[in-house]
Amino acid sequence: MQGIDLHKLLDALLYHEKDPLLFNSSFFLFFFGFFLLIYVIGYRFSTLRIYLLTLFSLYFFYKTCGWYVGFILLSAVFDYNISNLIYKTENKSSKKLLLVGSVILNLGLLFYFKYTNFFIGILNDFGSHNINYLKLALPVGISFYTFENLSYTIDVYRGEFKPVKKFIDYLFFLSFFPKLMMGPIVRASDFIPQINREPFISEKQVGEGLYLITAGIVKKVIISDFINANYVINIFDNPSTHTGLECLMAVYGYAMVIYCDFSGYSDIAIGIAKWMGFDININFLSPYQSASIAEFWRRWHISLSSWLKDYVYIPLGGNRKGSFNTYKNLFITMLIGGFWHGASWNFLFWGGLHGIALAVERLRNSFGRKHLLVLPYSPKATKVAAIILTFHFVCLGWIFFRCDTFADSWMMLKQITTNLQPKLLRSLLQGYLPVFILLTIGFILHAINEKTENKFKQLIINMPLPLKMFYFFICIYIAIQLKQADIIKPIYLQF
Amino acid sequence: MMTKSKNKLWQPFMIVGYAIVLLFILSFFKLPTGSLNSLEKIDILADIKKTPAQPKPIIPPKKDSFVQLNNGPIPKDSTLIADYGYDADDAIGTFYKKLDSTKNDGKKVRIAYFGDSFIEGDEITDEIRLQLQSLFGGNGIGFLPVQSSVSALYTQLNIKSSNWIEYNFRENPYKYPLGPSGHLFYPYIDAEVEYVPKTNWLPTEAKLYSGKSAVKGTVRTTVNGKSAAITFNSNQLVNENILSSGTPINNIKINTKSEDLPIYGISLEGNKGVYLDNYSFRGNTSILTQQISKDIMAGLNNYLHYDLIIVHYGINAVEHDKQTFPWFETSMNTVIRNMRKGFGSVPILVVSTSDMGYKYNGKYATEKGIPYLVATQNKIARTNKVAFWNLYEAMGGENTITKWVEGDTVFAAKDYIHMNVKGAKKVGDLFFDKLMASKNYYMNSISKHK
């Protein structure tokens, strides 16, 4: 038995660039455990609770991205003050000016960190310029809290929301650690009223939180990370050395990886918030069950698509200015949505692809057709066909979303369409058996209907506390085992 | 009903606390051995525990297993080529001399490079070839299959194939004699392959290598748009048929309906300079290479006249943390013996495995078996009296692969084994530079001895 090294312990409390704090870091378990201990003791004292939670959130942020924590403080100071000013100002044009200033500053910061190098690249490519790229690291969560800042200020401007009176409340809202890094994007109007309310959770909420957190762990660590590290990452890294079949399976694999990764993280965030007595709206609703792209966006990253709808699509005119403008607005909104995900032509293309699909669907609906493919006498089969078609369109988009360059994306498509080699299926499945078993389980779990899901949720809610404790431990234990597991390298396919 | 109205805020703390306490206890206990072997020891405190001693370093094999001589053909610098066959007829020196004289005497110099997926797609070998050709002349990629699953990788030319039945090391139910890369192709109804070179250095010769067939073969060749039909006997184990000669080839299309004509591949080359033929097969430990008959090698060598044979295997022979490779040694000995019988008195160069990563405690580092495998490969070269190049050492030795995957400039793929485009160029250049340095070393040392 070895003792604890005090230096290492202190060092572990500091930020390390190569080891940022995530929900799936083992450090987080200690962090969260310690936090809950303090929270249980002090939750009744309103001011203490708010300050403590804010402090924990800022520390969490520091552990993820070091001194960039300053940005969230700065933007909180700025947006808190400007929103109050907007609220107090009565002159309409002054109000507007303040809003525009706020939008420019918020987006400017986001643009500077996220898009400067992208535009330098464009200038270098299209002009004869040779500008050096800036060495910029993207402050974690900036895409998320910028949107939260914007919606808050815009809501205040629109008169839909009274700004908070205390700065600490605003900082609390913006930095609330469960949703800080990967969302969901929380609306101030939903969240701020909960801040000063004494947290209360029932047995049901404890169970719901446990369900969400463990489901998130299964999705993120067990399904997503495993499939990604053992299969998907290698194929996407170099599609030209893999057959079409391997590429196709990697696309299906990636569809599962990105869903489980993102929604798993959201689930954990919502579950943790629930355990602290805060309600955050659900962010994903089995998106691959969608029978159309429009439905997909009602089920995928809901907090983003609803944000885009309320703050981009509707202000652009939505569907109120004739059908051509509606299509145009849909396209622009999705293009912005794509660009929000990352600074590259691939993300823009991905957004554009979805924008076009939404417009085409709308056009088709205007002719009174609900589905692209109508199978005679069988509405059920028609729906299944529509789900499969939608899924494959989404997968097509994922190719562009995941690949670093267009060249890689085209290579992936080329391999799938011209070099499929389906006879390799057996050896592929044999070589990566654990990966494909997990992938199948992932898709089966995804296909489960809400009723069955609720039954399982109820089962967890009804567990007595000791069983809940044990169930949580088992999930964590399996996750750690899988995190440490060896990488699968089936030699006949790989080398 | 009472419980429902009570605040259960303490329950999450109980749930999380319980897991922490259990994991804490687990991290101070050793797992029982036996049935639980596949379980990893869980130690959530690993990062903050006192380290018992230095983490286990890779114990390199004893230095004396790399024979180092102060003078003579085995250089002190372990990143240069060591020739253990320096006193034999097939010393690598004969190859160096041929390289130096090719420009004057106009004789072609030809290299056969046998390997696995590390050289698949001709990325690394392409760089070596280009470097050699820019220095010693030569135009063309050399031997090519008529169909390749990695055809997209070829940077020098486009390959479009249709209607070929492929037999290979892994799928060869009728036990056909396979070509040097472990492939054999039969036309199916109307087979076609088209090669479009993408460089300015156009090949001027196109040759088809076919196997033994009872009937005559007919091939229609379209070079730069001009068509011609050739009918030939294919009654030897290996037959060379000249499809085009003299004109620079911008585009060559080959059609054949001769369903009984087995085809090994074609060669696109010029009439002088250096050529390097890539004979790779994915997943090959070297054992598969034993399937290539020495008669095929001899038949091929009748036409291609090899001056150097490179044997580069290893990444598929690695077994996690293993330090001995007896089966690999036996297999490589057989392969070298077969090659000597097949290709005759041609120098052979064994290239060691490249660096390869393995996940130790969640972080990638050099697979611990690698230095041992390299030592084994060195031993194989020594016992067989052939030349040896330590690629692992030349790349940078321990943990190079981690730097190549995780560094600012990425050279290797995320599998911590294969190279990306940049890495392939780097390895190709490394090979070329070390080959030239070794050649200089050799030339200097023989001039001293004179």
Side-chain angles (χ1 to χ4, degrees), chain A residues 1-6 8-9 12 19 26 29-30 32-34 36-37 39-40 43 135 198-203 206 210 233-234 237-238 240-243 246 275-277 402 411 414-415 419 421 423-424 465-466 468-470 472-473 476-477 480-487 489 491-495, chain B residues 3-16 18-20 22-24 26 28 31 38-52 116-118 120 123 148-150 152-153 170-171 281-285 315-316 320 356-359 364 408 412-420:
Chain A
M1 190 168 134
Q2 309 117 269
I4 302 295
D5 188 328
L6 197 65
K8 282 188 174 178
L9 178 67
D19 198 14
S26 49
L29 197 66
F30 292 108
F32 191 47
F34 182 63
L36 284 175
L37 176 69
Y39 196 62
V40 168
Y43 77 94
K135 264 205 156 180
E198 188 179 299
F200 175 91
I201 57 170
S202 64
E203 191 115 30
V206 173
L210 180 64
I233 204 168
N234 291 332
D237 200 31
N238 204 346
S240 53
T241 51
H242 296 95
T243 59
E246 287 167 285
W275 273 1
M276 290 155 65
R402 172 63 178 76
M411 180 55 75
K414 192 183 158 191
Q415 294 292 67
N419 187 19
Q421 303 202 30
K423 63 174 191 232
L424 285 176
L465 182 63
K468 279 189 180 120
M469 286 152 67
F470 187 68
F472 181 74
F473 167 72
I476 298 276
Y477 185 81
I480 297 176
Q481 281 289 344
L482 270 181
K483 234 179 125 175
Q484 292 182 346
D486 291 345
I487 297 286
K489 284 176 177 168
I491 67 169
Y492 293 142
L493 287 149
Q494 201 57 55
F495 307 156
Chain B
T3 49
K4 271 203 168 169
S5 57
K6 272 194 178 163
N7 197 347
K8 304 284 183 195
L9 207 69
W10 53 276
Q11 284 198 353
F13 170 69
M14 294 292 288
I15 295 170
V16 175
Y18 176 73
I20 292 176
L22 272 192
L23 290 171
F24 193 83
L26 271 179
F28 282 106
L31 269 183
S38 63
L39 286 181
E40 298 275 334
K41 177 181 161 45
I42 287 201
D43 188 351
I44 45 166
L45 301 172
D47 289 342
I48 54 167
K49 270 184 186 170
K50 282 181 182 153
T51 0
D116 48 35
S117 65
F118 193 74
E120 195 180 39
E123 290 184 300
S148 166
S149 58
V150 289
L153 276 179
R170 298 204 189 281
E171 273 176 81
F281 196 92
R282 197 178 277 214
N284 192 356
T285 59
I315 50 176
N316 292 293
H320 177 47
M356 177 172 162
Y358 189 82
K359 215 164 115 189
Y364 275 94
D408 285 342
K414 294 209 174 69
D415 60 7
Y416 290 76
I417 298 168
H418 295 93
M419 298 297 114
N420 62 16

Side-chain angles (χ1 to χ4, degrees), chain A residues 245 247-256 287-293 296 350 353-354 357 361 372-373 383-401 413 416-417 420 443:
Chain A
L245 186 73
C247 291
L248 182 68
M249 287 302 180
V251 176
Y252 291 149
Y254 183 65
M256 188 45 67
Y288 297 143
Q289 287 182 19
S290 312
S292 71
I293 296 299
F296 175 77
W350 172 76
L353 209 61
H354 276 274
E361 273 183 9
L372 198 64
L373 199 77
K383 195 179 172 198
V384 171
I387 290 174
I388 292 173
L389 217 66
T390 306
F391 174 70
H392 280 84
F393 178 82
V394 171
C395 280
L396 175 74
W398 289 145
I399 295 178
F400 292 91
F401 190 91
L413 283 171
I416 293 169
T417 48
L420 193 66
F443 278 114

Side-chain angles (χ1 to χ4, degrees), chain B residues 134-166:
Chain B
S134 67
L135 204 61
F136 302 105
N139 42 319
I141 198 165
F143 190 93
L144 285 161
V146 289
Q147 177 176 290
S148 166
S149 58
V150 289
S151 58
L153 276 179
Y154 285 84
T155 46
Q156 292 243 46
L157 83 171
N158 288 330
I159 309 178
K160 246 196 273 173
S161 325
S162 53
N163 296 339
W164 297 95
I165 301 171
E166 180 186 321

